[in-house]
Amino acid sequence: MARVLDLFSCSGGAGWGYRLAGFTVDGCDIADRPRYPFAYHRGDALEYLADLTTTGEIQRYTLVHASPPCQAGCALTVGTNHAQGWGGTHTDLLSATRTLLDATGLPYVIEQPNGRAVIRKDVSLCGEMFGLGVLRHRNFELGRWATAAPAHPRHRGYVRGYRHGVYRDGPYVAAYGEGGGKATVTEMQTAMGITWTNVREELTEAIPPAYTRWLATAFLTARQEVLT
């Protein structure tokens, strides 16, 4: 069975998608994640990856997925970084993550939100592609494998909530922050297809499992084509 290492795993939104595609999933996150639904190592993700590579244990994995905090590339506040356990400085974790992933010799996926992070946007996914109740655009850099990027469909309307003092209704909920018409915990769970955590902070950071299910299926298809 294919096995994926889910780095910076948070609550497991990415990991769950890989599981749905048939992968065995192991996670790693620096924060305590008691609701993470798979085998889990608590610790610094980059140190853990370096150790696995040095010992050769990384070879038990088929693929590595990494969602490094985009501190240097996104407009996160120092307060938000601190709340997530990332510290008060804007460290470029993305470059260090890519360097270590390249050293593994394995295929990999790096995930980032829209922003100023320097990442190849090999694939960009949106909730509308999967009929979800969130938009949550995410970009993915693919290392040592490739797949055709899907077309981005037209959005069906607004994200529900207030913008500049004006309230708009729409088919999508805002799965971040609080107040101003933003989604409740239950609405976020339903909109993203996440049932195993009801912690707001974890839900606001999660990506919908549909994204990584699509990526994992594309990876397995590409891998099979190479093998045959």
Side-chain angles (χ1 to χ4, degrees):
M1 179 181 288
R3 193 178 201 99
V4 64
L5 176 60
D6 179 19
L7 297 172
F8 308 98
S9 57
C10 194
S11 62
W16 194 264
Y18 285 105
R19 180 60 176 271
L20 291 174
F23 279 73
T24 297
V25 181
D26 296 330
C28 177
D29 198 273
I30 199 166
D32 185 24
R33 301 293 183 187
R35 288 159 294 278
Y36 188 77
F38 310 112
Y40 170 79
H41 172 83
R42 183 179 180 184
D44 183 283
L46 297 186
E47 290 180 3
Y48 187 56
L49 178 59
D51 287 344
L52 290 175
T53 303
T54 299
T55 62
E57 293 181 68
I58 193 65
Q59 296 305 316
R60 69 173 180 257
Y61 294 102
T62 314
L63 179 71
V64 183
H65 177 101
S67 299
C70 52
Q71 295 160 275
C74 293
L76 293 175
T77 64
V78 171
T80 299
N81 285 333
H82 181 72
Q84 302 301 320
W86 302 336
T89 59
H90 293 264
T91 306
D92 180 12
L93 296 180
L94 178 58
S95 296
T97 299
R98 184 187 292 109
T99 296
L100 287 172
L101 288 172
D102 283 333
T104 68
L106 294 177
Y108 62 80
V109 176
I110 300 175
E111 176 262 324
Q112 288 284 281
N114 282 336
R116 297 188 302 274
V118 181
I119 182 175
R120 281 198 328 270
K121 299 178 182 180
D122 296 320
V123 171
S124 295
L125 299 179
C126 163
E128 180 59 24
M129 296 175 178
F130 307 99
L132 301 179
V134 292
L135 291 179
R136 189 139 289 188
H137 297 95
R138 289 296 184 271
N139 302 309
F140 300 87
E141 179 176 319
L142 311 181
R144 292 193 175 83
W145 71 284
T147 190
H152 191 163
R154 184 181 180 86
H155 298 165
R156 289 172 289 126
Y158 292 107
V159 176
R160 188 196 73 199
Y162 283 93
R163 299 293 183 277
H164 307 294
V166 178
Y167 180 85
R168 291 187 173 94
D169 201 359
Y172 314 107
V173 297
Y176 55 88
E178 296 186 62
K182 294 182 176 64
T184 65
V185 165
T186 300
E187 287 174 329
M188 285 191 283
Q189 290 175 311
T190 301
M192 290 191 287
I194 294 176
T195 59
W196 59 91
T197 180
N198 60 358
V199 176
R200 175 176 286 275
E201 173 264 322
E202 293 184 342
L203 290 165
T204 59
E205 292 299 318
I207 64 172
Y211 293 11
T212 43
R213 184 178 190 176
W214 186 93
L215 286 164
T217 301
F219 170 77
L220 292 173
T221 300
R223 181 179 179 225
Q224 184 60 37
E225 289 173 352
V226 170
L227 292 174
T228 56

